[in-house]
Amino acid sequence: MKIFNTMDRRKEEFVPLEPGKVRMYVCGPTVYNFIHIGNARPMIFFDTVRRYFQYKGYDVRYVSNFTDVDDKIIKAAEEEGVSASEIAERYIKECRTDMAGMNIEPATVNPRATEEISGMIEMIQQLIDGGHAYAAEDGTVYYRVRSFKNYGKLSHKNLDDNKSGLRTLKVTGEEAKEDPNDFVLWKPKKEGEPYWTSPWCDGRPGWHIECSVMSKKYLGEQIDIHGGGEDLIFPHHENEIAQSEAVSGKPFARYWMHNAFLNIDNVKMSKSLGNFKTVREISRQYDLQVLRLFMLSAHYRSPLNFSREMMEGAKAGLERILTAMDNLRDSFEEAPERAMTEEETRGLTELSGLVKKFEDSMEDDFNTADALSAVFEIVRLANTTVTRESARKYIGKIRETMEKLLDVLGILPERKKVSLDAEVEALITERQAARKAKNYARADEIRNQLTEMGIVLEDTKDGVKWRKA
Ligand code: AMP
Ligand code: ZN
């Protein structure tokens, strides 16, 4: 199996650290809002990577964090007048709902930064003891980038080459830094912010140290795959390497995988630009399996532009798959128990070829676009050769194969029956959140949508109740 490794900028044969096992870490979201479909791209893609390894018989340990303390969470908490932990708790819950809708397997562990502070303090102390970090007078602890020989190896930047993209000048407020590229490991609290006691000051950890600590705790000093969106290559992953390797003295991750952006009008979708669509919004217009199919329709290292046409295309594709699965199921029930004809035997040979095409595509740096086209060819094979008169064995084999391959892609082989109750409850929860966030426009929009669905809301002392009009 070949994987494109950002570290060496080429495809390399995958060799696990331990035979039969894969240890992977994927940087998770900062939870201060509903996740948008840009965040969903790494979630869907790396879940598919995990599923393919499982299909191949590997035992996969998959760790993905929730960043639940951060400036943006604190800001959202201040705006709503609630605690930062309430914001984080709420959006972790909502994120899990969205992930379930996208059929993302729960991670082996989903550590939360705020529950791992003691490990972070310990690693920061080790870095100080080893000469890789220093505390400034106000208690801020910085990583000393010049102490790490290969700083810049992942992002291909060089501290001594001022054209390589690293900073050469300090800005105001950075006087205590030895080098402008030194980064924060621990920072002092500000009034009203959550904080923890440490040897340096009451404060909180920097973002990068979280992943080094959680990865080490749940996967060990060395892991097979570290993944995330390409915006994380620098500085986040570069800094994770500097921290983890300075402490362990060993290479941290063997393969660094990064997905390209999900764009809208050819611009990166992001919360800060405000050009995003949440997974929750999409779930109102489409089954989230459509979103999943749309994401997998492009290679993960190619930018993908979100558009209604592409989503409609994915919707039609999903419909084609599900209809073929329905037909296979129905025909199977009635099919005769008899030996296969020559034509059917030839059909199974063709099927094996298509499975090989699927696997070869996945083995070639997870080319899900080509893997999907193999699935559609199997759909065509089923549609053109299977009838109620086909041998039961023939139908059964195609059906079983399709189910296995769809499982790798995380597509359920049956139509989901969404209950009205679940949908209404989800809308009400989102409306409450919008109101709390003082996003009244969104709250009204949801109320109108509920009205259109024939749902009446009533505010009672036990919360919001609903009934059909
Ligand atoms: P964040 O919550 O911004 O830290 O992002 C969580 C994950 O989503 C990271 O792996 C990001 O790289 C990824 N991500 C954010 N925006 C996009 C986007 N527009 N396209 C693809 N990946 C993204
Ligand atoms: Zn990370």
Side-chain angles (χ1 to χ4, degrees):
M1 185 191 305
K2 293 250 187 316
I3 295 184
F4 184 91
N5 192 349
T6 307
M7 184 72 82
D8 303 313
R9 288 184 174 161
R10 58 181 165 81
K11 288 185 197 171
E12 292 172 352
E13 190 58 33
F14 177 72
V15 184
L17 288 162
E18 204 180 320
K21 297 208 167 134
V22 178
R23 277 174 262 191
M24 58 192 290
Y25 186 97
V26 178
C27 295
T30 305
V31 280
Y32 64 102
N33 206 329
F34 285 88
I35 56 163
H36 60 71
I37 57 177
N39 302 132
R41 189 171 192 193
M43 288 178 180
I44 291 172
F45 171 67
F46 288 106
D47 178 62
T48 308
V49 170
R50 171 198 195 167
R51 286 166 177 272
Y52 186 67
F53 277 119
Q54 288 171 175
Y55 167 85
K56 297 259 293 178
Y58 284 97
D59 171 13
V60 184
R61 216 174 139 72
Y62 186 102
V63 178
S64 190
N65 64 298
F66 284 118
T67 295
D68 61 349
V69 58
D70 167 273
D71 289 342
K72 290 179 228 137
I73 299 174
I74 294 168
K75 185 159 166 272
E78 276 167 7
E79 282 169 8
E80 275 193 41
V82 299
S83 67
S85 63
E86 185 175 335
I87 295 284
E89 200 60 50
R90 183 195 307 157
Y91 292 113
I92 286 174
K93 187 166 156 275
E94 299 297 355
C95 179
R96 287 189 198 279
T97 305
D98 289 337
M99 284 164 77
M102 295 185 287
N103 201 21
I104 289 167
E105 273 186 52
T108 317
V109 195
N110 272 137
R112 300 180 187 194
T114 55
E115 291 170 4
E116 308 290 344
I117 303 287
S118 63
M120 297 184 210
I121 292 177
E122 195 181 316
M123 191 180 274
I124 296 170
Q125 189 61 55
Q126 285 171 326
L127 288 168
I128 294 176
D129 295 345
H132 293 288
Y134 54 97
E137 243 167 58
D138 68 349
T140 307
V141 182
Y142 293 104
Y143 187 95
R144 179 179 281 129
V145 290
R146 295 227 169 241
S147 74
F148 186 67
K149 196 163 108 282
N150 291 320
Y151 189 78
K153 67 177 173 179
L154 179 72
S155 54
H156 305 94
K157 297 181 194 294
N158 186 328
L159 284 167
D160 295 315
D161 171 2
N162 58 15
K163 288 200 193 67
S164 77
L166 287 177
R167 292 171 52 199
T168 49
L169 293 174
K170 290 189 223 172
V171 300
T172 317
E174 293 186 332
E175 293 76 12
K177 284 186 179 184
E178 292 175 5
D179 185 287
N181 298 292
D182 288 354
F183 58 88
V184 171
L185 297 170
W186 187 265
K187 59 179 151 193
K189 70 168 180 191
K190 290 200 200 107
E191 195 50 41
E193 290 185 357
Y195 68 90
W196 291 264
T197 299
S198 81
W200 316 289
C201 63
D202 285 351
R204 59 189 165 99
W207 171 37
H208 316 301
I209 195 74
E210 294 176 14
C211 291
S212 284
V213 167
M214 295 189 253
S215 174
K216 180 178 172 189
K217 175 164 173 190
Y218 296 102
L219 295 168
E221 282 178 336
Q222 293 188 285
I223 65 174
D224 294 293
I225 295 173
H226 196 117
E230 67 183 14
D231 52 337
L232 300 188
I233 298 173
F234 186 85
H236 186 52
H237 288 165
E238 195 65 64
N239 294 350
E240 280 188 39
I241 292 174
Q243 296 162 158
S244 297
E245 299 192 0
V247 168
S248 73
K250 298 173 192 157
F252 175 28
R254 179 70 188 82
Y255 305 88
W256 287 89
M257 296 179 72
H258 294 99
N259 62 273
F261 291 142
L262 176 81
N263 294 333
I264 187 156
D265 300 324
N266 297 309
V267 177
K268 179 195 174 190
M269 184 177 285
S270 74
K271 279 182 195 145
S272 49
L273 291 176
N275 61 349
F276 61 89
K277 288 201 185 299
T278 63
V279 170
R280 200 56 63 86
E281 275 173 86
I282 296 295
S283 77
R284 279 207 202 92
Q285 297 153 11
Y286 297 97
D287 178 343
L288 288 178
Q289 307 255 14
V290 172
L291 183 66
R292 185 151 184 143
L293 209 60
F294 159 72
M295 292 286 182
L296 298 177
S297 68
H299 189 274
Y300 76 96
R301 285 189 290 112
S302 306
L304 177 58
N305 211 30
F306 176 84
S307 69
R308 185 139 309 269
E309 298 80 68
M310 291 282 282
M311 286 294 284
E312 289 299 318
K315 184 178 173 186
L318 181 67
E319 188 53 37
R320 220 158 65 234
I321 292 172
L322 296 180
T323 306
M325 293 309 290
D326 283 347
N327 291 341
L328 284 167
R329 250 185 307 274
D330 293 348
S331 311
F332 185 79
E333 294 307 320
E334 313 204 352
E337 201 75 73
R338 59 158 170 78
M340 287 193 293
T341 60
E342 249 176 56
E343 198 195 335
E344 287 168 343
T345 310
R346 273 201 302 281
L348 288 194
T349 310
E350 191 181 340
L351 179 68
S352 311
L354 293 171
V355 171
K356 179 153 189 320
K357 177 177 169 185
F358 178 94
E359 291 176 352
D360 287 349
S361 307
M362 292 300 278
E363 303 269 318
D364 182 16
D365 191 29
F366 301 96
N367 190 335
T368 55
D370 286 358
L372 251 179
S373 79
V375 166
F376 284 114
E377 284 181 63
I378 300 177
V379 166
R380 182 198 41 77
L381 177 71
N383 291 348
T384 52
T385 61
V386 170
T387 68
R388 276 152 210 257
E389 278 79 51
S390 304
R392 189 173 255 254
K393 196 171 156 208
Y394 179 64
I395 305 174
K397 186 72 194 162
I398 296 186
R399 183 175 150 192
E400 180 194 316
T401 305
M402 272 295 280
E403 282 176 351
K404 270 197 199 144
L405 303 188
L406 289 175
D407 187 52
V408 171
L409 301 175
I411 302 293
L412 296 169
E414 284 171 54
R415 278 169 221 283
K416 272 201 245 171
K417 291 174 200 71
V418 186
S419 78
L420 178 69
D421 289 17
E423 199 178 334
V424 171
E425 301 288 346
L427 278 168
I428 292 175
T429 312
E430 193 191 338
R431 179 167 165 267
Q432 304 282 79
R435 275 172 33 166
K436 270 196 170 168
K438 302 201 170 59
N439 184 353
Y440 298 113
R442 179 75 196 129
D444 286 347
E445 203 176 284
I446 296 171
R447 184 181 265 278
N448 292 342
Q449 191 177 346
L450 286 163
T451 310
E452 273 170 35
M453 289 164 74
I455 303 296
V456 179
L457 296 184
E458 280 159 6
D459 287 306
T460 73
K461 64 177 185 352
D462 301 323
V464 180
K465 295 263 183 302
W466 64 276
R467 60 180 169 80
K468 287 195 195 143

